[in-house]
Amino acid sequence: MSSHEQALASLISQLALSFDGAVLGVALAYAAVRTIFRFKSTSTALRKIRVAPSLGVADLRSLLEEDQSDSTEEPIVVIRGAVEARSAGDGRSWKSLRSNVLVSQESGDKAVIIQRTQTYIYHEWRGFFGWTSDLRAIIGRSWNKKESTSMRKVPFILVEGGQWPQSDCVIVNMDGSRHPLPLTTVYHQLQPINASPYTFLQALFGHEYPVGLLDEEKILPLGKEITAVGICSFNNGVPEIKSCKELPYFLSDKTKDQMLLDLAFKTKILLWSGMVLGSLSIGILGYAFVRNWNKWKEWRLRRFQQSAHAAPDDATSQIAGDEEAGDVPDGELCVICLMRRRRSAFIPCGHLVCCQHCAVSVEREVVPKCPVCRMAIRSSVRIYSS
């Protein structure tokens, strides 16, 4: 770890531990709340997928007809089937269903989804002015876009594997879906990038410069067995399935049992993580609250004492200034400071031996006593001469 990275880590730790750990406690509380919300959503998805019927494409139509007669709510189902292309037409005949197919540019495989990703791989060399790269490491990474993704799709359906075109089909509606897709990698190649004069200038000043281009192509091929989890309904008499935002899956390679195992494991992890983070945040926030409350009370007490002592001190200083003006006979000097005139008499002994400033100082002692007779005193009174 470089010195700049150590400085950044020290700054972050000081910020987290500021206010006696209150900032760290708030951050842990936020993480705990986020974890609890994720636990609730994951447990809800687990419950919905567990009760959702798992069936084949051929049995879906009868299930939808029964649910429409019983309830108006669209059911969530789990369907396992093979991928087949569907044209932009009505999708009634075999010819129209096979007419719209994508072909992979690299492998030549037929597919319904093709995703092309190009990722630039950068290299950092500090060069002669390498402090610039360290500065970027503290502030953030380079703002250059290092990855570009393009995706092509055609409408597709799910059918019973090995029985198409005799079997029924289910239309897959991808509109609004942000779920991950079960794509297969068919092309993966790293190509070097030739250096240029501009690359030399980038290296000279310690900037990042590209050294390679990772070209990758993923497809959803025809005939691949996948599982669709979502809301099913009729579209022009044909069953259609679309994604449900509350579920973490839509199209997946996993079976229903594998999904349930994965969600059950995530639910346990999120539950225990939320409990641990919540307990830590409560403990740290409680400790920070007590410490800051005590500090606030001490500050209030100091302010009260300062305000209480300010008025006597101001009066004493004003009186002292008046008393110090002119010459004071030796027999009337204060026995403590030997500078100012005797103006205060102690109670109950009644000795007039101190000035106002020194009398107040004697009163503030833990065990105030008269400097002459050593009797315990309760207070002092100023004596005015006419």
Side-chain angles (χ1 to χ4, degrees), residues 20-33:
D20 295 315
V23 176
L24 178 61
V26 171
L28 289 176
Y30 175 75
V33 172

Side-chain angles (χ1 to χ4, degrees), residues 174-185:
M174 296 286 295
D175 296 338
S177 174
R178 297 182 177 273
H179 297 80
L181 298 173
L183 302 179
T184 302
T185 302

Side-chain angles (χ1 to χ4, degrees), residues 7 15 23 61 121 138 227 234 290 296 299 339 344 352 365:
L15 180 62
V23 176
R61 184 179 293 273
I121 298 178
I138 295 178
T227 302
F234 280 114
V290 172
W296 182 77
W299 176 80
M339 294 175 58
S344 295
L352 179 62
E365 294 178 356

Side-chain angles (χ1 to χ4, degrees), residues 219-326:
I219 65 172
L220 183 60
L222 298 180
K224 182 178 181 178
E225 290 281 338
I226 62 173
T227 302
V229 183
I231 301 173
C232 229
S233 61
F234 280 114
N235 183 10
N236 296 327
V238 181
E240 180 186 62
I241 188 169
K242 58 184 179 181
S243 64
C244 179
K245 295 181 180 180
E246 299 177 357
L247 300 180
Y249 302 106
F250 177 39
L251 303 177
S252 175
D253 292 323
K254 300 178 181 179
T255 62
K256 180 180 177 180
D257 294 336
Q258 291 174 341
M259 292 180 186
L260 293 177
L261 289 175
D262 186 31
L263 289 177
F265 178 75
K266 289 181 179 179
T267 302
K268 293 180 181 179
I269 295 296
L270 290 173
L271 176 61
W272 285 105
S273 300
M275 294 175 61
V276 171
L277 290 175
S279 302
L280 288 176
S281 64
I282 291 174
I284 294 175
L285 288 176
Y287 171 78
F289 176 78
V290 172
R291 287 293 301 271
N292 286 280
W293 177 259
N294 292 333
K295 288 182 179 180
W296 182 77
K297 289 195 298 184
E298 292 176 359
W299 176 80
R300 285 286 303 273
L301 181 60
R302 288 196 302 268
R303 287 293 301 272
F304 177 76
Q305 291 176 350
Q306 291 174 1
S307 61
H309 296 161
D313 290 343
D314 293 341
T316 303
S317 61
Q318 183 178 2
I319 294 169
D322 295 339
E323 292 173 345
E324 288 177 1

Side-chain angles (χ1 to χ4, degrees), residues 77-78 113 117 120 125 148 158 187 227 229 270 275 279 292 312 354 365 379:
V77 297
V78 181
I113 298 177
T117 304
Y120 286 95
W125 181 59
S148 61
L158 294 181
Y187 181 72
T227 302
V229 183
L270 290 173
M275 294 175 61
S279 302
N292 286 280
C354 293
E365 294 178 356
S379 62

Side-chain angles (χ1 to χ4, degrees), residues 63 202 218 313 343 381:
L63 177 66
Q202 288 178 312
K218 296 181 179 181
D313 290 343
R343 291 294 187 184
V381 60

